[in-house]
Amino acid sequence: MAEETTGKAKSGKTFDSAYGFSFSIAVGLVLFIAGLVISLTLGEGTSVGLIFGIPLLAAGLVIPVFMMRDLFKTNEIKAPCPNCGATIRTSDATLQLRCQSCQQVIDVREGRLLRAE
Ligand SMILES: [Zn+2]
């Protein structure tokens, strides 16, 4: 999913993250509701609903957490400030930051630090 958009615009990554975030929420919600419905409808009197419903409920809670953990596992960037050369440590989720040494505003683009215009 991520590979397809790497060649695109610079803002592609943030869009992907936002999309992935809502997608994992949606998947979790669908599984959770399906589990709820199954355990409530089939579950009356029998354990069938619970056998199918509970795992779905659990999956609905666990899957989004796993998907989001992947999403938030961003790459750390450690690079010298383009203005003063001081080492700046940030993540590729950062779009813009201010150098602590020279107060220069730095743009973070595709893992590289660029002096903001
Ligand atoms: Zn600097």
Side-chain angles (χ1 to χ4, degrees):
M1 196 163 68
E3 270 88 57
E4 288 174 36
T5 52
T6 37
K8 278 190 189 170
K10 285 152 192 163
S11 58
K13 176 153 182 78
T14 31
F15 176 78
D16 275 356
S17 303
Y19 178 77
F21 186 81
S22 1
F23 181 72
S24 54
I25 296 280
V27 167
L29 212 62
V30 166
L31 285 172
F32 190 86
I33 290 169
L36 209 63
V37 168
I38 288 172
S39 53
L40 286 178
T41 53
L42 296 177
E44 282 182 75
T46 64
S47 58
V48 177
L50 292 179
I51 289 168
F52 288 101
I54 297 295
L56 273 175
L57 279 172
L61 293 173
V62 170
I63 286 175
V65 173
F66 271 98
M67 288 175 78
M68 278 189 269
R69 201 173 62 172
D70 242 27
L71 219 65
F72 289 124
K73 199 172 64 185
T74 51
N75 295 316
E76 190 180 82
I77 299 169
K78 197 176 160 191
C81 169
N83 192 47
C84 70
T87 303
I88 294 174
R89 204 190 283 247
T90 183
S91 77
D92 65 354
T94 311
L95 295 175
Q96 201 171 63
L97 59 98
R98 190 178 287 272
C99 174
Q100 289 182 339
S101 303
C102 65
Q103 305 303 312
Q104 168 75 43
V105 177
I106 311 292
D107 281 337
V108 182
R109 284 181 199 166
E110 289 158 16
R112 283 176 301 159
L113 302 179
L114 299 166
R115 200 187 301 191
E117 297 303 320

